């Protein structure tokens, strides 16, 4: 009995040791001479590995900045300060760009008809896989909080009204919540963009009215009212051209559904 | 006689005992990495390579270390160690010599470590008492069978992305499992080619 015990431990330890030694040797043999600048840039990055830059992690982002000419301000978490430090290291000037925050493009919430009680895996993606939507509107926010869980910086919270709320002080604009939302409710919006349409339903007006009190019915009143011609209704949904919009609020005043928000 | 037996093992591994569609091993990659043909073929290539290597190394380990010491019961944990180390080694080599392939495979390469199909192939070698050449052949055949199923699935999913799939069938993973079921049922027909033991 003791023999078996001793032998097993010896074999597994030996195997582990042999494999470990082989891997150490292999890592020496196949070592890649990387640019020391990459490590220095990686030092400056926040190290959150959130993926907000579009790369696998901070190390990959640093490599892209140094080797393949990715923009100096690739890291949305580090913001302007980090970009400036990296710029000093790389010998490049950086200009500050206006920060963008996630923005919820749905106003349905409690006013949108709920078709059934969902008791499956907690999360919007799981609910969407099960069926098209648990809400009457297949475009709207499901309110199960997938975006809240995707946020690594505690900047999102689920409000009483069944919507995610963004805390701009904590938000780093990494875009994880936007990527996590299976229904594309969230989008980036700049602070200078004053007017927003709080709906993304492309359903016909009659259908929208049947399921949601706060949905865009595509009546085109806002399109006619806008003095700048910045609003266009396509596929029964008003969309605002932020370049042309002056924030006068004329559209919000005539909207019968009250879904155009002026901040 | 030897050649014929090897050919039988090859046919068995690819069709009759297809790892994904008959034995239901390694299904996570079957659903996860079959969204397009490119990543599916990259993953398949890596799996064929690792399966062949794992079959070779584990045969030596089992027959020349574990059997003489009467430690056959340790095979599962020992094989897992071997497979994990092999995947790591492959990752080193690929990163050094084929950086383009390394980038395109991304996380799929380390994912092979936890691919139960590789462990399944190695354990089946032991259960079937294959000799060295048969073991390696079965390892390669299992990898090829994996490739066949992966490429078929990726092809179907790529095409079904651009057509209207009935709502009742679903989309995403639901749809993939639906397709996998039908493919699995069709692969059952290979049972007649070589009788299962």
């Amino acid at each position: 009995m003791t023999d078996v015990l001793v032998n097993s431990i010896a074999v597994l330890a030996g195997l582990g040791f042999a494999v470990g030694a082989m891997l150490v040797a292999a890592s020496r043999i196949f070592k890649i001479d990387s640019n020391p600048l990459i490590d220095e840039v990686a030092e400056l990055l926040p190290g959150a590995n959130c993926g907000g830059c579009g790369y696998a992690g901070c190390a990959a982002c640093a490599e892209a900045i140094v080797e393949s000419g990715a923009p100096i301000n690739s890291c949305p978490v580090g913001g302007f300060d980090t970009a400036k430090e990296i710029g000093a290291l790389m010998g490049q000037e950086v200009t500050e760009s206006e920060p963008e925050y996630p923005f919820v493009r749905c106003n349905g919430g409690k006013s949108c008809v709920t078709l059934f009680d969902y008791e499956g895996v907690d999360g919007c993606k799981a609910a969407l896989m099960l069926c098209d939507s648990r809400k009457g509107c297949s475009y709207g926010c499901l309110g199960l909080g997938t975006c809240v869980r995707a946020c690594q910086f505690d900047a999102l919270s689920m409000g009483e009204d069944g919507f995610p709320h963004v805390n701009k002080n904590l938000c780093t604009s990494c875009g994880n919540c936007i990527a996590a939302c299976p229904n594309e409710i969230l989008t980036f919006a700049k602070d200078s963009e004053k007017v927003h349409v709080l709906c993304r339903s492309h359903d016909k007006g009659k259908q929208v009215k049947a399921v949601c009190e706060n949905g865009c019915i595509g009546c085109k009143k806002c399109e006619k009212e806008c003095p700048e011609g910045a609003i266009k209704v396509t596929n029964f949904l008003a969309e605002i051209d932020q370049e042309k919009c002056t924030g006068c609020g004329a559209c919000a005043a005539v909207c019968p559904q009250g879904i155009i928000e002026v901040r | 006689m030897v050649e014929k037996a090897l050919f039988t093992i090859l046919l068995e591994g690819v069709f009759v005992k297809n790892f994904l569609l008959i034995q239901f091993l390694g299904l996570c990659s079957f659903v996860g990495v079959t969204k397009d043909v490119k990543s599916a073929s990259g993953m398949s290539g890596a799996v064929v390579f690792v399966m062949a290597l794992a079959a070779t190394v584990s045969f030596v380990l089992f027959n020349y270390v574990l059997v003489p010491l009467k430690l056959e019961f340790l095979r599962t944990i020992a094989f897992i160690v071997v497979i994990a180390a092999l995947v790591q080694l492959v990752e080193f080599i690929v990163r050094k010599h084929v950086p383009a392939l390394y980038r395109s495979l991304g996380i799929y390469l380390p994912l092979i470590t936890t691919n139960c199909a590789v462990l399944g192939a190695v354990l089946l070698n032991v259960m079937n008492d294959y000799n060295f050449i048969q073991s390696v052949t079965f390892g390669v055949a299992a990898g090829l069978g994996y490739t066949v199923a992966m490429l078929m699935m990726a092809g179907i999913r790529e095409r079904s992305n651009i057509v209207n799939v009935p709502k009742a069938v679903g989309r995403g993973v639901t749809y993939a499992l639906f397709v996998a079921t039908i493919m699995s049922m069709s692969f059952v027909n290979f049972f007649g080619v070589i009788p299962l033991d």
Side-chain angles (χ1 to χ4, degrees), chain A residues 82-96:
Chain A
T82 306
K84 212 159 68 181
E85 285 175 37
I86 297 174
L89 199 66
M90 304 266 298
Q92 284 181 34
E93 278 294 314
V94 211
T95 46
E96 191 161 13

Side-chain angles (χ1 to χ4, degrees), chain A residues 58-98:
Chain A
C58 291
C61 178
E63 195 181 322
I65 289 176
V66 177
E67 300 266 302
S68 40
I72 300 275
N73 56 2
S74 290
C75 178
V77 180
F80 182 58
D81 294 337
T82 306
K84 212 159 68 181
E85 285 175 37
I86 297 174
L89 199 66
M90 304 266 298
Q92 284 181 34
E93 278 294 314
V94 211
T95 46
E96 191 161 13
S97 61
E98 200 191 349

Side-chain angles (χ1 to χ4, degrees), chain A residues 10 62 64 79 114 126 133 136 149 162 165 167 186 191 194 199 216 223 235 258:
Chain A
T114 305
S133 176
R149 277 187 292 277
H165 288 268
N167 182 345
L186 292 158
D191 267 349
K194 295 289 180 210
C199 183
C216 178
E223 185 179 311
N235 274 336

